[in-house]
């Protein structure tokens, strides 16, 4: 699986330079993976493009969990766009989602390993716990917020090894 993911990243880079819209990049990558793969593997992905001049956000999803835009007022926008995992159906049209990051808003991107982390009783960490930590840290720096989530996950799982990767990215619009 990690070799497949690395192959996807190497294919993605030139496609992202050529096409400017995430849904078109996703469509091109999907077509290529379907055409050349023999391993019957698939990949979920959430692709985001942020214009750093206007803070306009465009995104597309290939069967990935919804990302979060944490608004300055404490509300959350769940970013979702229609899409199936890459490598399954070659001519799928991915949906383009768009939003705007306002001053003080935080974008939070994460893999499902965060919400699907299990405790000793195989209960999932869940989205509600994640949203609670994000709410409690709404004024914190991105690094402090990520550290709070890592701490919460560690306490919840009591150090049990995860069955899935846990990846998180957080950034806030400051000006």
């Amino acid at each position: 699986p990690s070799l497949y993911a690395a192959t996807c990243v190497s294919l993605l880079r030139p496609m992202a330079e050529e096409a400017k819209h995430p849904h078109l990049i996703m469509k091109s990558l999907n077509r290529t993976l379907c055409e050349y793969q023999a391993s019957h593997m698939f990949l979920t992905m959430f692709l985001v493009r942020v214009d750093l001049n206007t803070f306009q956000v465009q995104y597309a999803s290939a069967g990935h969990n919804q990302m979060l835009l944490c608004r300055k007022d404490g509300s959350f926008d769940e970013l979702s766009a229609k899409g199936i995992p890459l490598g399954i159906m070659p001519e799928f049209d991915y949906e383009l989602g768009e939003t705007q990051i306002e001053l003080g808003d935080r974008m939070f991107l994460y893999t499902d390993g965060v919400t699907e982390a299990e405790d000793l009783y195989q209960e999932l960490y869940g989205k509600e716990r994640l949203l609670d930590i994000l709410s409690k840290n709404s004024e914190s720096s991105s690094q402090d917020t990520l550290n709070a989530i890592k701490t919460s996950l560690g306490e919840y799982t009591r150090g049990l090894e995860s069955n899935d990767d846990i990846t998180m990215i957080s950034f806030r619009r400051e000006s």
Side-chain angles (χ1 to χ4, degrees):
S2 58
L3 182 58
Y4 187 69
T7 300
C8 292
V9 169
S10 66
L11 291 169
L12 178 64
R13 289 179 197 269
M15 290 176 184
E17 290 176 10
E18 187 175 311
K20 298 300 181 203
H21 300 290
H23 68 302
L24 299 177
I25 297 167
M26 203 79 83
K27 182 173 182 153
S28 180
L29 180 58
N30 181 56
R31 187 181 305 119
T32 300
L33 290 174
C34 286
E35 185 176 334
Y36 292 107
Q37 78 161 323
S39 60
H40 304 293
M41 295 185 76
F42 64 89
L43 180 80
T44 65
M45 178 186 293
F46 196 91
L47 186 59
V48 178
R49 184 176 292 252
V50 180
D51 182 320
L52 294 178
N53 293 314
T54 65
F55 294 95
Q56 177 72 22
V57 177
Q58 293 186 327
Y59 57 90
S61 178
H64 206 280
N65 54 288
Q66 299 171 331
M67 298 298 118
L68 298 169
L69 182 56
C70 311
R71 296 292 185 182
K72 183 179 180 179
D73 67 6
S75 64
F76 294 96
D77 291 350
E78 294 186 8
L79 308 182
S80 63
K82 180 186 75 165
I84 62 172
L86 299 168
I88 294 176
M89 190 167 59
E91 293 305 318
F92 187 82
D93 288 321
Y94 291 86
E95 181 180 15
L96 177 66
E98 296 184 279
T99 192
Q100 182 74 31
I101 303 175
E102 303 296 341
L103 190 63
D105 290 348
R106 176 197 313 268
M107 181 75 78
F108 183 73
L109 312 170
Y110 64 102
T111 58
D112 60 5
V114 174
T115 52
E116 294 178 3
E118 295 179 347
D119 67 6
L120 294 170
Y121 306 103
Q122 297 183 323
E123 297 288 330
L124 300 180
Y125 183 79
K127 189 183 256 183
E128 289 306 314
R129 281 185 182 82
L130 176 60
L131 293 176
D132 184 53
I133 296 293
L134 288 169
S135 290
K136 288 178 180 173
N137 288 275
S138 63
E139 300 297 319
S140 302
S141 70
S142 290
Q143 188 60 55
D144 288 345
T145 301
L146 293 174
N147 288 338
I149 295 167
K150 286 180 197 173
T151 298
S152 176
L153 281 167
E155 291 169 355
Y156 186 78
T157 62
R158 298 184 188 205
L160 292 175
E161 191 158 326
S162 177
N163 294 329
D164 204 351
D165 70 296
I166 294 177
T167 303
M168 301 177 286
I169 299 171
S170 176
F171 60 91
R172 178 191 308 273
R173 178 178 173 187
E174 299 288 343
S175 60

